[in-house]
């Protein structure tokens, strides 16, 4: 019997606490596990000797349910990259593991976190330390290799689709021609921007154009695309990834930040939405507005996907099972089962297969013109946004839990 | 027996269709009313001869319920200001009224729309035209004079409070000091920005600072305020109205747009959030982010206040009652009843008492330092965000109706 340690890392999502909830629930039920420690601010909780006792905090089921529905990382997060060489960082981590009798280590995060899992696992093997280390994926970016999709993506996708639908209703009120540009997160992978297409699966056809970072962006083509869409739509709605790049590989948003300064002489670091807004204003002289969905797309638990939240809890539980089954150096993945109706099964793969790789939107999910997704993407993504998480409200605002 | 005409005008809200729903329901039940026409794009529907037959469209109760829950203006909107002098615009309107046998005219909108109601009512009196004209208020800005609050405000306030709570969870994950600035709509009145305070009525104290346009803004004082808050909070959350002005009455957002240009040589028209982000970055050298809630604050029906939606429908019904009761040239208002529990009653006032006036946040609702609201504001606003509208989802996205 030994203790387990769980940490959260990287950018927050609305599903990362559901996974933590799954880990806690399964660890509580495991005879082989004694204490359940939470590392506050990820791996930094080890360096700063900042653990919390999750058995003590989560005594009853009700608080665990609240945790499951709470956005962002309950335990806090970090962006700390372990060095390549096995140095004192590693010694410190494993001394800490030894001191606290950690036999199981679960790390919930994205690409960088899987790098941590990979390195810590290698070191454990190197010093022959008895521990089971499992990475559990989460990211709104959906860019992790080896898994059908990542926990957190479905909820962000549901937020993006629902919000674009609502923005379209808003844009449609005026009679005058207008262009609305919605900038969506995703520096290198366009998965979340692609989710905008799900807004159009109802009665309102929206957005009209979608630009992903997977395809080079041309301002001239962009304006031509809008002109074509304007022939049939007075109000053109466009979803664009923050990470679109021109044919030279330069981020479109950098084209602005390099030039503009404010009255204080600071460089203006703007998003690509603002750049495109200016291009449209200049070229088409019509009403144009750019909207950044900003952090709301990753923290709006009040419109989370029930499918995503349930899968996120499930994968946390399965991670504990895998560790108890003596797996280590693994990343949990969700595999889509071949059946008529959508279902997934958790499995695990060697974390080295996923760490430091990025999964982009494949060509067959993007149309030939590079300005929309194909039905293949919609078929892939639609199951992920199904179901609504019912959150509790107290005094008119959402009821969440915090450390 | 004559026909009725209803139009929507000004910026959309999530409650304006609930009011339209109330008007349709009451008009359907009124023996004195025959056809129920909708003016497409407000008063411009008259000039463009663009009416729709709402009796025909809304045959069953289910579609009316869907209308009630749909964001933005179902009938479309306009921003058209009638001239001061009674000119051909007026002649055209009343010829149209005559031609279509309009005996009742309902106009749902904000300040400018009440100006239209006022002018059209005066002209009706001037030419002695038999018609009952009623204005029904809506605006997320809550700046209409004569009513306790405006339909649409409660839902926008609920969105703002809930979103700021979620953003705070998101900001709290990292250990490093940070400042998050959230820019909220309200050019001259700070009501909606004040609603950010409702985010702090739960377990998480947020935001830490609130700046309204009612008080002059000083960048120096702003930085001092943040320093004070940083002593107790690593992550400082700030809500700021887009309309804050300096001591010379100059909009803070203008201070930026006057200086910055992008690489295309365009003036950068940014929000005050971006300006403040730069000021903080320069002065405090800590991580800082600005977030614009943009149109989402006025179109997110999926998190509408049930109180607001129900009151909005109610005031629409009461407007029809008032018209049938031979009232004209009136604006409907919501009066808070003096009782232990919150309740409102619809009344009507002469529209001239409200048109072209602006109701600002009164001094007693703002603290002495001008950087937060008082308990009086919270007591006033909290009842308005109570209850959650249950919307339907189809295929994972909200189900709304469109013309």
């Amino acid at each position: 019997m030994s203790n387990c340690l769980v940490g959260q890392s990287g950018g927050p999502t609305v599903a990362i606490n559901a996974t933590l909830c799954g880990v806690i629930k399964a660890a509580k039920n495991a005879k082989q596990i004694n204490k359940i420690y939470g590392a506050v601010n990820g791996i930094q909780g080890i360096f700063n000797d900042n653990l919390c006792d999750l058995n003590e905090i989560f005594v009853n089921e009700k608080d665990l349910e609240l945790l499951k529905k709470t956005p962002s990382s309950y335990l806090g997060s970090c962006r700390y990259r372990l060095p390549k060489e096995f140095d004192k960082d590693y010694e410190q981590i494993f001394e800490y593991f030894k001191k606290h009798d950690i036999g199981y280590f679960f790390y919930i995060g994205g690409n960088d976190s899987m790098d941590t899992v990979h390195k810590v696992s290698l070191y454990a093997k190197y010093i022959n330390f008895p521990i089971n280390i499992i990475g559990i994926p989460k990211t709104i970016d959906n860019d992790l290799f080896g898994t059908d999709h990542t926990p957190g993506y479905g909820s962000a996708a549901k937020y993006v689709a629902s919000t674009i639908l609502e923005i379209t209703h808003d844009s449609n009120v005026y009679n005058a021609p207008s262009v609305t540009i919605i900038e969506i997160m995703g520096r290198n992978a366009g998965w979340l921007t692609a989710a905008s297409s799900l807004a159009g699966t109802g009665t309102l056809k929206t957005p009209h154009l979608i630009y992903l970072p997977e395809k080079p962006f041309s301002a001239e083509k962009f304006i031509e695309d809008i002109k074509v869409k304007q022939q049939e739509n007075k109000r053109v709605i466009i979803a664009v990834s923050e990470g679109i790049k021109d044919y030279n590989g330069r981020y479109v948003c950098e084209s602005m930040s390099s030039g503009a300064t404010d009255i204080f002489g600071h460089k203006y670091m703007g998003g690509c939405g603002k750049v495109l807004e200016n291009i449209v204003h200049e070229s088409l002289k019509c009403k144009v507005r750019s909207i950044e969905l900003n952090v709301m797309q990753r923290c709006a638990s009040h419109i989370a996907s029930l499918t995503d939240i349930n899968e996120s809890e499930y994968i946390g539980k399965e991670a504990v099972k895998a560790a108890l089954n003596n797996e280590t150096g693994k990343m949990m993945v969700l595999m889509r089962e071949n059946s008529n109706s959508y279902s997934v099964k958790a499995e695990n793969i060697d974390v080295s297969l996923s760490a430091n790789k990025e999964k982009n939107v494949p060509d067959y999910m993007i149309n030939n013109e590079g300005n929309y997704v194909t039905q293949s993407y919609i078929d892939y993504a639609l199951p992920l946004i199904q179901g609504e998480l019912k959150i509790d409200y107290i005094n008119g605002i959402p009821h969440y839990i915090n450390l």
Side-chain angles (χ1 to χ4, degrees), chain A residues 34-49:
Chain A
N34 185 16
K35 287 194 173 243
I36 308 167
Y37 290 117
V40 178
N41 292 116
I43 201 88
Q44 287 189 325
I46 295 176
F47 298 127
N48 303 333
D49 187 21

Side-chain angles (χ1 to χ4, degrees), chain A residues 8 12-21 58 62-75 298-302 304 309 389-392 398-403:
Chain A
Q8 297 172 311
T13 76
V14 305
I16 189 167
N17 287 334
T19 300
L20 177 62
C21 168
F58 292 97
K62 214 180 122 198
D63 284 341
L64 273 170
E65 284 307 300
L66 197 52
L67 175 65
K68 185 176 163 182
K69 296 175 179 186
T70 293
S72 192
S73 312
Y74 173 81
L75 292 170
R298 71 180 191 199
C299 69
S301 282
H302 73 267
I309 298 297
L389 177 72
K390 201 191 163 311
I391 63 162
D392 301 313
H399 182 43
Y400 298 135
I401 196 170
N402 39 280
L403 190 61

Side-chain angles (χ1 to χ4, degrees), chain A residues 211 215-223 225 245-247 252:
Chain A
Y211 297 94
K215 296 285 172 190
F217 181 86
S218 148
E220 291 73 31
K221 176 69 167 60
F222 173 66
I223 293 298
D225 287 351
K245 300 173 206 76
D246 64 19
Y247 277 83
V252 169

Side-chain angles (χ1 to χ4, degrees), chain A residues 217-369:
Chain A
F217 181 86
S218 148
E220 291 73 31
K221 176 69 167 60
F222 173 66
I223 293 298
E224 287 312 308
D225 287 351
I226 297 173
K227 283 182 185 168
V228 170
K229 292 297 170 189
Q230 279 182 326
Q231 288 167 17
E232 290 186 358
N233 308 278
K234 266 193 185 167
R235 283 85 39 157
V236 175
I237 309 287
I238 303 168
V240 55
S241 178
E242 61 173 340
I244 51 167
K245 300 173 206 76
D246 64 19
Y247 277 83
N248 298 316
R250 192 175 66 150
Y251 283 111
V252 169
C253 59
E254 278 176 8
S255 71
M256 177 129 181
S257 50
S258 60
T261 53
D262 64 23
I263 49 164
F264 308 104
H266 306 132
K267 257 187 173 190
Y268 169 69
M269 300 295 286
C272 69
K274 210 35 111 177
V275 176
L276 299 187
E277 181 184 321
N278 274 334
I279 292 174
V280 171
H281 184 76
E282 163 104 323
S283 308
L284 300 173
K285 310 282 179 207
C286 67
K287 196 180 154 194
V288 53
R289 180 196 285 273
S290 68
I291 300 169
E292 230 185 304
L293 297 189
N294 218 307
V295 299
M296 288 81 87
Q297 62 202 298
R298 71 180 191 199
C299 69
S301 282
H302 73 267
I303 190 167
S305 154
L306 186 62
T307 298
D308 181 35
I309 298 297
N310 286 341
E311 286 179 357
S312 300
E313 182 185 13
Y314 162 70
I315 202 172
K317 288 179 177 173
E318 291 294 314
V320 175
K321 264 196 208 168
L324 295 174
N325 220 5
N326 213 22
E327 298 284 3
T328 191
K330 297 294 172 73
M331 180 181 93
M332 302 302 296
V333 295
L334 292 171
M335 303 306 287
R336 202 178 288 230
E337 296 187 298
N338 282 323
S339 65
N340 289 332
S341 65
Y342 169 83
S343 69
V344 290
K345 196 173 178 300
E347 296 182 7
N348 61 72
I349 61 172
D350 200 297
V351 70
S352 64
L353 294 175
S354 183
N356 303 313
K357 285 173 196 153
E358 244 175 9
K359 187 177 76 175
N360 290 309
V361 180
D363 269 352
Y364 71 91
M365 289 189 182
I366 307 173
N367 72 355
N368 289 333
E369 288 214 62

